[in-house]
Amino acid sequence: MSTVKTKPSHSRFFALLKQMPGCTKEELVFEWSEGGTTSLSEFYELCPTLYLEMLQTMDKAINDNVAIKKARSGVLKVMQKLGIDTTNWKDVNAYLESRKICNGKRLYHLSLKELNELRKKLEAILSKQ
């Protein structure tokens, strides 16, 4: 009995890719195949397990981005309460780059964990005022 491989539907891949601005199919496949190919079908045929791992990683990255956006919004709300003009990125970054506040990092460069810790720190500062 022979098994016939059917070409997989890559609709999930392309749905995820749409949510990842700045990424291209070729770049992702090339990176995940360790330079072996830029063809999605070929990558699936050569490494189906790695292909599925790539999809899971893409999905996690998208979900993490949503969580990070919410966390950034929370930080900015607390900063507004502290009297910082959050419509001016220079003011936001100048405040955050203070070693006492955020170890010299800008808002955009903070991980989800760092954003949650920063919000707690800012809320503590706010409660002392």
Side-chain angles (χ1 to χ4, degrees):
M1 177 183 235
S2 67
T3 57
V4 178
K5 270 193 173 179
T6 58
K7 183 178 177 183
S9 168
H10 299 300
S11 58
R12 181 171 173 222
F13 172 83
F14 286 107
L16 292 169
L17 184 63
K18 270 186 187 178
Q19 298 176 60
M20 299 176 71
C23 291
T24 66
K25 174 195 77 120
E26 290 78 13
E27 290 172 338
L28 282 171
V29 173
F30 189 76
E31 180 181 330
W32 276 89
S33 68
E34 297 177 346
T37 185
T38 59
S39 166
L40 201 54
S41 295
E42 186 178 339
F43 178 49
Y44 176 78
E45 288 175 25
L46 294 172
C47 308
T49 305
L50 199 53
Y51 174 86
L52 293 174
E53 187 180 325
M54 176 182 68
L55 292 179
Q56 291 171 343
T57 301
M58 291 170 70
D59 193 38
K60 184 179 181 325
I62 290 164
N63 289 331
D64 285 353
N65 283 341
V66 170
I68 285 174
K69 284 180 183 181
K70 286 181 182 179
R72 282 185 190 140
S73 176
V75 166
L76 290 170
K77 285 179 184 177
V78 178
M79 288 178 74
Q80 283 176 332
K81 291 177 184 176
L82 288 168
I84 296 155
D85 180 9
T86 58
T87 62
N88 183 338
W89 288 111
K90 286 183 180 182
D91 290 349
V92 169
N93 287 322
Y95 183 77
L96 293 178
E97 287 175 343
S98 163
R99 292 276 175 213
K100 291 180 180 180
I101 301 298
C102 206
N103 295 325
K105 288 189 175 181
R106 293 178 172 217
L107 185 67
Y108 188 77
H109 295 164
L110 297 173
S111 68
L112 182 58
K113 181 180 176 184
E114 290 170 323
L115 286 165
N116 290 330
E117 290 170 0
L118 173 61
R119 183 173 181 170
K120 288 176 186 174
K121 181 185 269 188
L122 294 175
E123 287 172 343
I125 293 169
L126 183 62
S127 70
K128 290 179 183 179
Q129 287 185 347

mmCIF file of all heavy atoms in Angstrom, residues 10-11 17 25 35-36 38 41 59 71-72 74 76 88 91-92 117:
data_model
loop_
_atom_site.group_PDB
_atom_site.id
_atom_site.type_symbol
_atom_site.label_atom_id
_atom_site.label_comp_id
_atom_site.label_asym_id
_atom_site.label_seq_id
_atom_site.Cartn_x
_atom_site.Cartn_y
_atom_site.Cartn_z
ATOM 1 N N HIS A 10 -1.600 25.920 2.586
ATOM 2 C CA HIS A 10 -0.764 26.839 3.363
ATOM 3 C C HIS A 10 -1.572 28.060 3.812
ATOM 4 O O HIS A 10 -1.004 29.097 4.120
ATOM 5 C CB HIS A 10 0.448 27.270 2.555
ATOM 6 C CG HIS A 10 1.350 26.142 2.158
ATOM 7 N ND1 HIS A 10 1.969 25.331 3.081
ATOM 8 C CD2 HIS A 10 1.713 25.676 0.941
ATOM 9 C CE1 HIS A 10 2.694 24.416 2.447
ATOM 10 N NE2 HIS A 10 2.544 24.603 1.153
ATOM 11 N N SER A 11 -2.889 27.914 3.861
ATOM 12 C CA SER A 11 -3.742 29.052 4.203
ATOM 13 C C SER A 11 -3.458 29.578 5.608
ATOM 14 O O SER A 11 -3.474 30.788 5.843
ATOM 15 C CB SER A 11 -5.218 28.700 4.049
ATOM 16 O OG SER A 11 -5.544 27.591 4.859
ATOM 17 N N LEU A 17 0.941 35.209 8.300
ATOM 18 C CA LEU A 17 1.885 36.134 7.673
ATOM 19 C C LEU A 17 1.264 37.514 7.470
ATOM 20 O O LEU A 17 1.938 38.531 7.646
ATOM 21 C CB LEU A 17 2.373 35.565 6.337
ATOM 22 C CG LEU A 17 3.443 36.368 5.606
ATOM 23 C CD1 LEU A 17 4.720 36.437 6.435
ATOM 24 C CD2 LEU A 17 3.725 35.757 4.245
ATOM 25 N N LYS A 25 7.274 35.759 3.067
ATOM 26 C CA LYS A 25 7.290 34.302 3.030
ATOM 27 C C LYS A 25 8.707 33.805 2.812
ATOM 28 O O LYS A 25 9.190 32.908 3.504
ATOM 29 C CB LYS A 25 6.383 33.785 1.915
ATOM 30 C CG LYS A 25 6.471 32.272 1.724
ATOM 31 C CD LYS A 25 5.871 31.829 0.412
ATOM 32 C CE LYS A 25 6.801 32.134 -0.702
ATOM 33 N NZ LYS A 25 7.294 31.088 -1.523
ATOM 34 N N GLY A 35 18.418 28.204 5.419
ATOM 35 C CA GLY A 35 18.992 28.527 4.123
ATOM 36 C C GLY A 35 18.775 27.462 3.058
ATOM 37 O O GLY A 35 19.325 27.558 1.976
ATOM 38 N N GLY A 36 17.953 26.481 3.359
ATOM 39 C CA GLY A 36 17.745 25.379 2.421
ATOM 40 C C GLY A 36 16.824 25.703 1.260
ATOM 41 O O GLY A 36 17.019 25.205 0.156
ATOM 42 N N THR A 38 13.385 28.642 -0.181
ATOM 43 C CA THR A 38 12.415 29.709 0.065
ATOM 44 C C THR A 38 11.016 29.242 -0.335
ATOM 45 O O THR A 38 10.064 29.999 -0.252
ATOM 46 C CB THR A 38 12.767 30.989 -0.727
ATOM 47 O OG1 THR A 38 12.796 30.673 -2.115
ATOM 48 C CG2 THR A 38 14.079 31.575 -0.272
ATOM 49 N N SER A 41 6.200 24.871 0.033
ATOM 50 C CA SER A 41 5.874 23.463 -0.206
ATOM 51 C C SER A 41 7.096 22.573 -0.037
ATOM 52 O O SER A 41 7.018 21.497 0.559
ATOM 53 C CB SER A 41 5.294 23.285 -1.611
ATOM 54 O OG SER A 41 4.067 23.952 -1.711
ATOM 55 N N ASP A 59 2.242 32.023 15.358
ATOM 56 C CA ASP A 59 1.016 32.241 16.111
ATOM 57 C C ASP A 59 1.318 32.844 17.478
ATOM 58 O O ASP A 59 0.667 33.795 17.917
ATOM 59 C CB ASP A 59 0.267 30.907 16.263
ATOM 60 C CG ASP A 59 -1.153 31.092 16.743
ATOM 61 O OD1 ASP A 59 -1.814 32.062 16.322
ATOM 62 O OD2 ASP A 59 -1.612 30.249 17.531
ATOM 63 N N ALA A 71 -0.110 45.936 27.096
ATOM 64 C CA ALA A 71 0.776 46.310 28.197
ATOM 65 C C ALA A 71 1.352 47.710 27.970
ATOM 66 O O ALA A 71 1.447 48.505 28.920
ATOM 67 C CB ALA A 71 1.895 45.287 28.350
ATOM 68 N N ARG A 72 1.723 48.033 26.745
ATOM 69 C CA ARG A 72 2.233 49.382 26.443
ATOM 70 C C ARG A 72 1.164 50.419 26.728
ATOM 71 O O ARG A 72 1.450 51.486 27.288
ATOM 72 C CB ARG A 72 2.658 49.480 24.973
ATOM 73 C CG ARG A 72 3.981 48.856 24.672
ATOM 74 C CD ARG A 72 4.365 49.102 23.227
ATOM 75 N NE ARG A 72 5.522 48.311 22.883
ATOM 76 C CZ ARG A 72 5.688 47.694 21.727
ATOM 77 N NH1 ARG A 72 4.789 47.797 20.777
ATOM 78 N NH2 ARG A 72 6.775 46.984 21.500
ATOM 79 N N GLY A 74 -1.232 50.211 28.865
ATOM 80 C CA GLY A 74 -1.346 50.346 30.317
ATOM 81 C C GLY A 74 -0.245 51.218 30.900
ATOM 82 O O GLY A 74 -0.505 52.059 31.774
ATOM 83 N N LEU A 76 1.406 53.565 29.307
ATOM 84 C CA LEU A 76 1.167 54.950 28.882
ATOM 85 C C LEU A 76 0.051 55.607 29.702
ATOM 86 O O LEU A 76 0.137 56.796 30.026
ATOM 87 C CB LEU A 76 0.833 55.000 27.391
ATOM 88 C CG LEU A 76 2.007 54.691 26.454
ATOM 89 C CD1 LEU A 76 1.527 54.528 25.019
ATOM 90 C CD2 LEU A 76 3.078 55.767 26.548
ATOM 91 N N ASN A 88 3.910 62.910 23.133
ATOM 92 C CA ASN A 88 5.237 63.311 22.684
ATOM 93 C C ASN A 88 6.216 62.176 23.004
ATOM 94 O O ASN A 88 6.579 61.972 24.168
ATOM 95 C CB ASN A 88 5.652 64.606 23.383
ATOM 96 C CG ASN A 88 6.983 65.121 22.909
ATOM 97 O OD1 ASN A 88 7.818 64.385 22.382
ATOM 98 N ND2 ASN A 88 7.197 66.406 23.091
ATOM 99 N N ASP A 91 9.319 62.912 25.113
ATOM 100 C CA ASP A 91 9.082 62.991 26.555
ATOM 101 C C ASP A 91 8.952 61.601 27.165
ATOM 102 O O ASP A 91 9.508 61.316 28.226
ATOM 103 C CB ASP A 91 7.815 63.796 26.855
ATOM 104 C CG ASP A 91 7.968 65.273 26.562
ATOM 105 O OD1 ASP A 91 9.115 65.731 26.330
ATOM 106 O OD2 ASP A 91 6.942 65.984 26.565
ATOM 107 N N VAL A 92 8.206 60.725 26.492
ATOM 108 C CA VAL A 92 8.003 59.356 26.983
ATOM 109 C C VAL A 92 9.348 58.650 27.099
ATOM 110 O O VAL A 92 9.690 58.088 28.143
ATOM 111 C CB VAL A 92 7.055 58.569 26.053
ATOM 112 C CG1 VAL A 92 7.046 57.087 26.404
ATOM 113 C CG2 VAL A 92 5.645 59.143 26.106
ATOM 114 N N GLU A 117 6.378 44.825 34.724
ATOM 115 C CA GLU A 117 7.155 45.292 35.875
ATOM 116 C C GLU A 117 7.195 46.823 35.917
ATOM 117 O O GLU A 117 7.089 47.427 36.983
ATOM 118 C CB GLU A 117 8.570 44.723 35.816
ATOM 119 C CG GLU A 117 8.626 43.238 36.086
ATOM 120 C CD GLU A 117 9.995 42.617 35.793
ATOM 121 O OE1 GLU A 117 10.930 43.347 35.379
ATOM 122 O OE2 GLU A 117 10.124 41.392 35.980
#
